[in-house]
Amino acid sequence: MRKALRWLGRAAFGLLVVVITAYTLFPFYWAVVSSLKQGSALFEVEAWPRNPAWQNYALVFTEQPFGRNLFNSVIVASTVVIISLFLAVTAAFALGRIRFFGRTPLMLMILAVSMFPQIAVLSGMFELVRWLGLYNTLPALTLSYLLFTLPFTVWVLTTFMRELPKELEEAAVMDGASPWVICMHVFLPLLKPALVTTGLLAFIAAWNEFLFALTFTLSQEARTVPVAIALMSGASQYELPWGLIMAASVIVTVPLIVLVLIFQRRIVSGLTAGAVKG
Amino acid sequence: MRNVLKGLAVATAVVVPTLAVAETVAISCGTVGQEFEQCKLGAEAWAKKSGHQVKLVSGPTDASEQLTMFQQQLSAGASDIDVYRVDVVWPGLLGAHFIDLKPYVSEDVLKQHFPAIVENNTVGGKLVAMPWFTDAGLLYYRKDLLEKHKQKPPTTWQELAEVAKTVQDAERKAGNDKMQGFVFQAKAAETLTCNALEWIDSFRGGTIISDDGKVTINNPKAVEALKTAASWIGTISPQGVLNYEEEGARGVFQSGNAVFMRNWPYAWALANAPDSPVKGKVAVMALPKGGTDGKSTGTLGGWQLAVSKYSKNPAVAADLVKYLTSAEEQKRRAIVASFNPTIASLYKDEEVLKVNPFYTSLLETFTNAVARPSKVTGAKYSRVSAEFRNAVHAVLSKTGKPEDKLKALQKKLESLGRGGKW
Amino acid sequence: MSVPSGMPATTTPTATPAPPPASVSQLSRQRVRSAWLFLLPTLVVLGMVAGWPLLRTFWFAFTNANLSNPEPPQFIGLENFATVWDDPDWWQSVRNTFFFTGISVTLETVLGMMIALTLNTRFRGRGVLRAAVLVPWAIPTVVSARMWGWMFHDVYGVINAMFLHLGFIDAPIAWTADPRLSMAAVIAVDVWKTTPFMTLLLLAALQMLPDELYEAAKLDGAGPIRVFFKVTLPLIRGPMLVAIIFRVLDAMRVFDLFYVLTTNSSESMSMAVYARQQMFEFQELGLGAAAASMLFAVIAMFTVVYLVLGRSAVEEAA
């Protein structure tokens, strides 16, 4: 009886895993299928295209400077992640580990920044970018993306900072460690899963951002991937080259999947203690 | 040595003057694809001829997103783009940011173009944009299916509904349960304004707001037109048409699942592409009349070229506009890519007709095309259009009666227009 | 709690000799000073990036700024707010946004928790599943919204084809044309797209829990459900609340899904779509800024209420 129950539980668990995978992956599979179609084949529903149009993948790179766009996206997203994580770790240490007057209002102010719809800050941001002389450059995007990655990373890291045991810090203070050393050498290694996770989320947010990227760049060489994809068009104003768009989307998604596979061990590395130098 | 120096001096003397006047003009004209290609070819030909340089800027594909981008640029007084490609309804919205092109274009050249479009592009006595190519709504139909079921091409909307129903039901019986009678564009976007204006105008129900600024939308003819259109949904048109734009409709028609389609001329080349399932089975005609005493009409679409007030070289930019909108360049574009010229004489040009045999019937459509009331409403056009299409969308999705909706719309538009002073 | 090396296992806060009082206050003063030093770079960057654009928007909300008018804007007081307040379309968009936020964030939290717990157990192929779960989040929204629009298409969409095939429906459905159905469609896409975000944050929180807790609970003979509610949930409450806050803030500001997927008629708009339409489509920069400021006020009010109810997110639970 008990064996049967356990077996049933296992089967249910297996089924759950299968359903989750199907729900999350089916649209991506459909994107792959669509990316292998051209012309009228797009309007037919079939599980696998009869004559796959692999040339779509080549066309993506020959029709526009897509390689360059990919490179731009990598640069922008990486710099955004590095800057946000560095700033957020220091800020989170102060907000999470030190009690001082005005801490809560400050937290709320940082959060308030992400309460404005993007469309509302667009005009002001556009003026700022032009005034700094950054229009149509990658730094314009890096700078404007901090608007939504920074509050998020600060908040998340602050909550994780709070979870860390007090004893560690006290021991370090006894050893005469400065706040900087505590933050960078005692806590940072412990925060790895949180850092990798927030970093990854910030990376993807910057990687996929569309509105600012569209507004602050003008030439094809300065554009990032989402804009390049959105601006692909067919022979006329109304025609959308679905095959190409889907091929480009698949190309864009693959590096992120690889990134996740590389970092996924880190995400789940668990608590690795042993950071205090005796 | 001295000779070499002398040679160099001569060489630089020859090169420098041309460099001194070689300016770079940035033009935004369509995005990638066919349109971008053709614009690029034209602009480069001009560059070669004039000794200047061109830089092409691509924008979003969606017209309303393009408008947003242009507004950002223009309201910031940015000189990044010199020449803008503007929709036929934008001169009133953006006119304040463009230079007057009258000094650069001779009267004779202007006379060649369709007067309605030139009129449309003249705002407050200023010619803010030059006509580049034009568009109007057309009716596409499957001539093979009409023959098979012994039906004639319809001349009125009522006939269209009957023919569509007959063919659709017969085809569904014969095994194609996806067959639809009629597809058009009813997503609550600018495209629905174009569609609905065609129905109302074909019933002789006016153009929402008359040229002298009076709101005319609440009239029995317009009510009848919307009633007719609402009766199609769920009988000859799928429910999904309420979220179709051009491509949604074309997808259904081109995959062989619709008898009739209302669309712009661009769909012709695609429906007859080598891989199209309906290749050679399609015919195109003017849109039906609203009843026997109605008229055949199509909404005027199309694109113009304008020069930004903030351009650093307005004269050079205007020269590029002049070149691109000239008869020779328009002819080339019509032959290579079926862009409909804005110059009437080209519709009788043999070389053009050889490639586009359907142009003969188009000429009439273009000369009779109905313009959206963008000129009279100026900067408020988008708002008028949004109010109008939302009312129409509500009627089509059966959440409101045409009489009530048009009455409310009349009131709303009158308050917007402050009694005809737009 | 695993004991870090180099730290005697017996060390507890009470066992350390207390430093003399004078140095305590000095020490805490020093700590506060270093706190502000640590915060400075973040505040400077945020002030620069957010300060100007937000102030501009607030200022425009009180003026007659208009894109088609090159003249400098005039101050007109609260007129814009009154106009937006009296617009039934605005309230429709507020209702739509609240409905969307409530349903989709709830679903995302529940689903995200389920998936995170699944990924937190050890089974073969866990790494692959973890990467798979992130795929929806990785596809640019602009693209995935269009892709779903394609899949939802009533005549040649794959969803109708599948449902017809499976016998769920007997006629094709126009998912995105009907305002009610399109809301369901938008929620389905949003849940698909952002559940990974929840999953990942919850998973990171679960990963930081020490294993001993579970062993202790197991020894008590508690079932998995009881362990979850008694042990796991209280411990990951902080990160979970923060994740929910950010999801709610995002959902309230939702723009592209509605913009691409729905018919954009006044019946099916979100607040951000409304603000965009006023600003750019109607060129009424002032009205749009007022709508955006009101959207901000709505979100701010919600956040304050939420934080008061779930205080522990900001103030450490005593």
Side-chain angles (χ1 to χ4, degrees):
Chain A
M1 184 65 216
R2 191 167 268 190
K3 230 181 206 163
L5 265 179
R6 190 180 298 163
W7 187 88
L8 207 74
R10 210 171 270 172
F13 181 78
L15 189 72
L16 184 74
V17 171
V18 169
V19 169
I20 289 171
T21 318
Y23 176 55
T24 51
L25 283 187
F26 177 78
F28 185 65
Y29 153 78
W30 198 242
V32 173
V33 171
S34 306
S35 74
L36 298 174
K37 291 179 171 183
Q38 273 183 320
S40 300
L42 280 163
F43 298 128
E44 287 154 30
V45 177
E46 49 196 359
W48 190 252
R50 266 162 304 187
N51 30 17
W54 293 103
Q55 64 269 35
N56 278 345
Y57 285 83
L59 276 174
V60 166
F61 287 94
T62 52
E63 294 268 307
Q64 57 260 311
F66 199 69
R68 180 67 196 268
N69 300 143
L70 271 170
F71 176 74
N72 290 345
S73 276
V74 171
I75 294 286
V76 169
S78 317
T79 47
V80 165
V81 169
I82 291 164
I83 297 173
S84 338
L85 282 186
F86 174 75
L87 291 174
V89 165
T90 51
F93 177 77
L95 294 167
R97 307 300 305 190
I98 303 173
R99 282 184 175 277
F100 59 91
F101 180 72
R103 188 172 66 164
T104 309
L106 207 61
M107 288 287 283
L108 288 176
M109 250 177 59
I110 292 176
L111 187 66
V113 168
S114 41
M115 293 185 198
F116 261 86
Q118 241 192 321
I119 201 85
V121 295
L122 197 63
S123 292
M125 196 62 99
F126 185 72
E127 286 169 348
L128 181 75
V129 162
R130 290 193 65 87
W131 181 73
L132 290 170
L134 294 175
Y135 184 67
N136 203 21
T137 63
L138 296 182
L141 300 187
T142 304
L143 191 72
S144 54
Y145 290 178
L146 290 174
L147 180 73
F148 50 85
T149 58
L150 204 50
F152 165 75
T153 43
V154 168
W155 264 69
V156 174
L157 290 181
T158 302
T159 49
F160 279 111
M161 277 274 187
R162 279 218 180 104
E163 309 289 317
L164 296 174
K166 244 199 172 93
E167 296 83 351
L168 274 179
E169 199 177 356
E170 277 160 355
V173 171
M174 293 297 294
D175 292 345
S178 67
W180 177 257
V181 171
I182 296 174
C183 173
M184 290 295 160
H185 296 275
V186 180
F187 284 162
L188 203 58
L190 293 180
L191 280 174
K192 244 183 206 152
L195 278 179
V196 171
T197 304
T198 45
L200 198 64
L201 290 175
F203 187 93
I204 291 177
W207 179 264
N208 288 346
E209 201 283 335
F210 173 73
L211 193 62
F212 284 170
L214 175 70
T215 314
F216 306 149
T217 58
L218 196 60
S219 59
Q220 286 214 334
E221 286 68 37
R223 282 192 172 132
T224 55
V225 163
V227 181
I229 292 177
L231 299 194
M232 284 180 185
S233 80
S236 77
Q237 186 200 335
Y238 306 109
E239 191 201 350
L240 285 175
W242 268 107
L244 281 186
I245 289 177
M246 288 302 146
S249 308
V250 173
I251 293 170
V252 172
T253 312
V254 167
L256 290 182
I257 298 176
V258 171
L259 206 67
V260 175
L261 283 174
I262 291 172
F263 281 115
Q264 60 122 344
R265 284 239 173 76
R266 291 285 163 76
I267 299 175
V268 290
S269 60
L271 269 179
T272 41
V276 185
K277 296 275 176 297
Chain B
M1 188 66 215
R2 186 175 293 180
N3 278 349
V4 173
L5 278 179
K6 211 185 250 171
L8 270 179
V10 169
T12 47
V14 170
V15 172
V16 168
T18 51
L19 273 184
V21 293
E23 307 284 1
T24 302
V25 177
I27 175 167
S28 172
C29 50
T31 39
V32 281
Q34 175 76 297
E35 209 169 327
F36 186 77
E37 275 314 300
Q38 292 312 320
C39 175
K40 198 170 155 181
L41 284 173
E44 276 167 358
W46 168 82
K48 212 170 177 161
K49 208 181 82 171
S50 66
H52 296 294
Q53 281 163 345
V54 283
K55 196 171 84 194
L56 265 79
V57 177
S58 62
T61 37
D62 180 84
S64 75
E65 278 160 35
Q66 260 173 52
L67 180 60
T68 305
M69 172 180 152
F70 290 176
Q71 279 171 336
Q72 286 279 3
Q73 290 282 337
L74 292 166
S75 55
S79 58
D80 298 279
I81 302 176
D82 301 293
V83 178
Y84 288 87
R85 185 192 72 146
V86 293
D87 195 345
V88 73
V89 289
W90 295 352
L93 295 177
L94 302 174
H97 298 286
F98 295 142
I99 64 165
D100 184 5
L101 290 168
K102 276 215 175 99
Y104 302 97
V105 185
S106 70
E107 276 299 321
D108 298 345
V109 171
L110 262 190
K111 273 205 193 88
Q112 298 174 350
H113 294 270
F114 290 125
I117 306 181
V118 174
E119 176 65 19
N120 175 71
N121 296 355
T122 310
V123 179
K126 275 189 357 182
L127 178 66
V128 296
M130 274 299 284
W132 195 23
F133 60 97
T134 181
D135 252 344
L138 296 168
L139 183 70
Y140 290 76
Y141 63 95
R142 291 278 303 277
K143 53 184 187 205
D144 61 319
L145 290 181
L146 262 59
E147 270 165 34
K148 180 173 154 192
H149 299 284
K150 304 190 178 49
Q151 299 287 334
K152 276 211 233 20
T155 56
T156 65
W157 289 113
Q158 291 80 348
E159 277 175 29
L160 179 133
E162 283 161 27
V163 175
K165 186 96 182 98
T166 313
V167 178
Q168 165 189 296
D169 293 350
E171 282 294 309
R172 283 186 187 175
K173 263 208 195 78
N176 181 2
D177 51 5
K178 281 189 182 172
M179 184 54 82
Q180 308 292 346
F182 179 44
V183 289
F184 52 99
Q185 296 81 35
K187 179 177 173 148
E190 188 60 31
T191 187
L192 177 57
T193 302
C194 299
N195 275 259
L197 183 61
E198 279 159 1
W199 310 326
I200 292 174
D201 188 49
S202 74
F203 277 84
R204 300 192 189 275
T207 58
I208 311 167
I209 293 167
S210 67
D211 289 346
D212 54 3
K214 283 207 178 54
V215 182
T216 61
I217 186 63
N218 190 14
N219 66 64
K221 295 280 187 201
V223 171
E224 196 187 342
L226 290 194
K227 264 204 180 112
T228 308
S231 71
W232 302 333
I233 310 282
T235 53
I236 56 170
S237 303
Q239 195 73 32
V241 87
L242 293 170
N243 203 17
Y244 281 6
E245 284 178 307
E246 286 78 3
E247 280 296 273
R250 183 178 72 86
V252 176
F253 185 78
Q254 195 166 318
S255 54
N257 294 322
V259 189
F260 292 100
M261 165 174 76
R262 180 270 174 207
N263 216 326
W264 306 99
Y266 88 99
W268 173 260
L270 292 164
N272 286 309
D275 72 337
S276 165
V278 295
K279 183 179 71 215
K281 302 173 180 170
V282 182
V284 59
M285 61 187 283
L287 287 163
K289 297 190 292 199
T292 40
D293 54 353
K295 64 174 182 183
S296 204
T297 182
T299 297
L300 182 68
W303 295 86
Q304 344 293 316
L305 288 174
V307 175
S308 158
K309 216 158 75 173
Y310 316 104
S311 163
K312 291 199 169 71
N313 316 300
V316 181
D319 191 59
L320 170 61
V321 170
K322 220 166 89 180
Y323 177 86
L324 287 176
T325 55
S326 67
E328 300 82 53
E329 174 66 7
Q330 287 206 12
K331 178 173 170 176
R332 185 190 72 80
R333 289 166 57 91
I335 290 171
V336 180
S338 298
F339 284 109
N340 315 304
T342 57
I343 295 169
S345 61
L346 289 176
Y347 287 83
K348 302 190 175 75
D349 185 293
E350 272 178 25
E351 287 171 79
V352 175
L353 284 178
K354 209 163 86 188
V355 186
N356 307 301
F358 63 104
Y359 266 21
T360 31
S361 53
L362 276 188
L363 180 58
E364 205 180 333
T365 311
F366 287 141
T367 38
N368 295 332
V370 53
R372 288 163 274 176
S374 60
K375 203 167 164 269
V376 63
T377 52
K380 288 210 172 142
Y381 172 71
S382 311
R383 175 142 255 172
V384 170
S385 172
E387 294 293 350
F388 173 65
R389 68 180 183 237
N390 276 328
V392 174
H393 199 269
V395 171
L396 295 183
S397 52
K398 313 272 202 295
T399 54
K401 278 206 173 72
E403 296 87 350
D404 311 343
K405 281 284 165 192
L406 289 188
K407 203 167 151 189
L409 179 65
Q410 174 91 12
K411 254 213 182 95
K412 187 123 195 191
L413 293 183
E414 274 168 358
S415 71
L416 264 184
R418 300 197 185 96
K421 293 185 198 63
W422 292 90
Chain C
M1 194 63 252
S2 55
V3 181
S5 61
M7 207 168 122
T10 51
T11 307
T12 53
T14 47
T16 51
S23 71
V24 169
S25 65
Q26 204 185 0
L27 197 69
S28 69
R29 253 212 307 275
Q30 220 173 12
R31 276 176 68 86
V32 170
R33 204 175 314 131
S34 63
W36 284 104
L37 269 178
F38 270 61
L39 276 168
L40 196 64
T42 301
L43 294 181
V44 166
V45 169
L46 268 184
M48 191 167 84
V49 174
W52 171 255
L54 294 182
L55 287 176
R56 281 295 275 183
T57 305
F58 265 133
W59 156 243
F60 280 143
F62 295 95
T63 67
N64 64 355
N66 187 303
L67 280 175
S68 62
N69 182 4
E71 312 291 305
Q74 303 286 315
F75 180 80
I76 54 166
L78 291 170
E79 205 176 303
N80 288 330
F81 291 93
T83 311
V84 175
W85 188 268
D86 292 337
D87 188 354
D89 289 355
W90 161 253
W91 292 109
Q92 181 63 43
S93 77
V94 172
R95 276 194 298 276
N96 289 342
T97 312
F98 269 80
F99 184 79
F100 165 83
T101 304
I103 307 265
S104 62
V105 175
T106 309
L107 285 174
E108 278 153 29
T109 311
V110 173
L111 261 177
M113 186 62 86
M114 273 166 58
I115 300 176
L117 288 169
T118 308
L119 291 176
N120 202 34
T121 50
R122 291 203 165 82
F123 62 91
R124 220 176 298 155
R126 184 170 63 152
V128 177
L129 185 64
R130 204 176 289 131
V133 160
L134 264 180
V135 166
W137 181 247
I139 299 175
T141 314
V142 179
V143 175
S144 57
R146 281 216 176 121
M147 192 169 76
W148 277 89
W150 206 236
M151 285 166 54
F152 276 129
H153 195 285
D154 61 327
V155 175
Y156 47 74
V158 66
I159 292 178
N160 272 341
M162 279 197 313
F163 282 6
L164 283 167
H165 195 75
L166 296 169
F168 290 163
I169 50 176
D170 46 19
I173 293 182
W175 296 98
T176 52
D178 182 302
R180 285 168 304 255
L181 277 179
S182 71
M183 181 58 91
V186 168
I187 289 174
V189 178
D190 192 63
V191 169
W192 170 81
K193 179 155 180 64
T194 36
T195 301
F197 171 90
M198 273 300 206
T199 307
L200 212 54
L201 282 176
L202 293 173
L203 185 62
L206 289 173
Q207 290 288 328
M208 287 180 78
L209 296 180
D211 284 342
E212 291 86 343
L213 282 175
Y214 289 103
E215 276 151 29
K218 251 199 195 119
L219 287 177
D220 293 347
I225 293 175
R226 234 188 103 193
V227 170
F228 173 74
F229 281 105
K230 285 271 177 275
V231 182
T232 316
L233 202 57
L235 280 171
I236 61 167
R237 202 165 142 228
M240 189 174 91
L241 286 177
V242 171
I244 290 177
I245 287 185
F246 276 94
R247 269 310 304 141
V248 169
L249 295 193
D250 270 349
M252 291 278 226
R253 295 179 302 157
V254 64
F255 171 74
D256 33 19
L257 282 184
F258 275 82
Y259 187 70
V260 177
L261 271 178
T262 68
T263 60
N264 282 329
S265 69
S266 45
E267 286 160 347
S268 54
M269 265 190 206
S270 73
M271 290 193 274
V273 174
Y274 177 92
R276 179 196 177 274
Q277 191 178 46
Q278 297 293 337
M279 250 185 204
F280 295 109
E281 205 178 333
F282 301 161
Q283 341 235 331
E284 300 273 9
L285 208 53
L287 278 182
S293 305
M294 280 159 84
L295 168 55
F296 167 76
V298 168
I299 295 180
M301 267 180 336
F302 163 85
T303 313
V304 169
V305 169
Y306 179 88
L307 289 180
V308 169
L309 293 178
R311 274 191 86 83
S312 63
V314 179
E315 285 304 322
E316 245 172 309

